[in-house]
Amino acid sequence: MRLDKYLKVSRLIKRRTVANEACDAGRVQLNGKVARASADVKVGDTITITFGDKETKVEVLAVEETVRKNEAAELYRYI
């Protein structure tokens, strides 16, 4: 699954366009490297999102195309 879509489905970022812009600005890292929005996300990957002075680091536990809002938090684990 594409990184920008995963960020939206998991609700780490609300909109896919915002996720795409964050990737273009270099604010999203996948496994320690700056990632493009088209990067492939797999189970076990580490995603780091930086907005201002706030940094969010999560481990991917599951990759699903659609998920309900209350089940979105089950797709990742905070590190």
Side-chain angles (χ1 to χ4, degrees):
M1 175 183 285
R2 288 175 53 104
L3 177 58
D4 59 345
K5 184 168 183 181
Y6 181 81
L7 292 172
K8 187 232 181 250
V9 169
S10 65
R11 290 176 174 76
L12 288 167
I13 297 180
K14 268 190 177 178
R15 291 182 206 93
R16 190 167 176 178
T17 55
V18 175
N20 210 326
E21 291 169 1
C23 291
D24 290 344
R27 294 187 183 125
V28 180
Q29 294 181 356
L30 185 63
N31 297 324
K33 297 178 185 172
V34 175
R36 299 179 64 179
S38 61
D40 194 33
V41 176
K42 298 179 286 304
V43 174
D45 285 348
T46 303
I47 300 173
T48 307
I49 307 167
T50 307
F51 276 120
D53 59 345
K54 182 182 173 189
E55 185 174 281
T56 304
K57 193 169 187 179
V58 297
E59 178 186 356
V60 177
L61 299 178
V63 177
E64 303 205 14
E65 292 293 322
T66 57
V67 66
R68 293 183 182 169
K69 186 176 183 180
N70 57 352
E71 298 169 351
E74 298 172 7
L75 297 178
Y76 59 88
R77 172 175 62 97
Y78 286 103
I79 299 176

